[in-house]
Amino acid sequence: GLNFIISLIKLALCANFALIFTYASELFPTEIRGTTLGFCVLLGRVTTLFAVAFESVADLIGVHPMV
């Protein structure tokens, strides 16, 4: 039923992302790819560090994201 269709849509979206990621990474030289990937990993880890602080602030002011 509906769950099967939703699962197929999720599968298609994930496959599409994987294909675009693979293709886009081959468009740039190795040095630029490595630098960009390193920067994205750094940004992800820094935002993870601050996620707990943002959650605490959200508790204090009473605003919560819709997750």
Side-chain angles (χ1 to χ4, degrees):
L2 184 60
N3 285 336
F4 180 72
I5 293 171
I6 291 173
S7 296
L8 282 178
I9 292 171
K10 286 182 180 181
L11 175 68
L13 289 172
C14 289
N16 189 20
F17 176 77
L19 288 172
I20 290 173
F21 182 80
T22 305
Y23 177 71
S25 68
E26 294 299 324
L27 290 176
F28 300 101
T30 305
E31 184 176 326
I32 294 174
R33 267 192 318 230
T35 304
T36 307
L37 181 61
F39 179 73
C40 289
V41 169
L42 172 75
L43 191 61
R45 290 185 180 184
V46 168
T47 55
T48 303
L49 288 172
F50 289 113
V52 177
F54 291 147
E55 184 180 8
S56 299
V57 170
D59 287 340
L60 288 174
I61 63 173
V63 176
H64 296 282
M66 296 176 64
V67 178

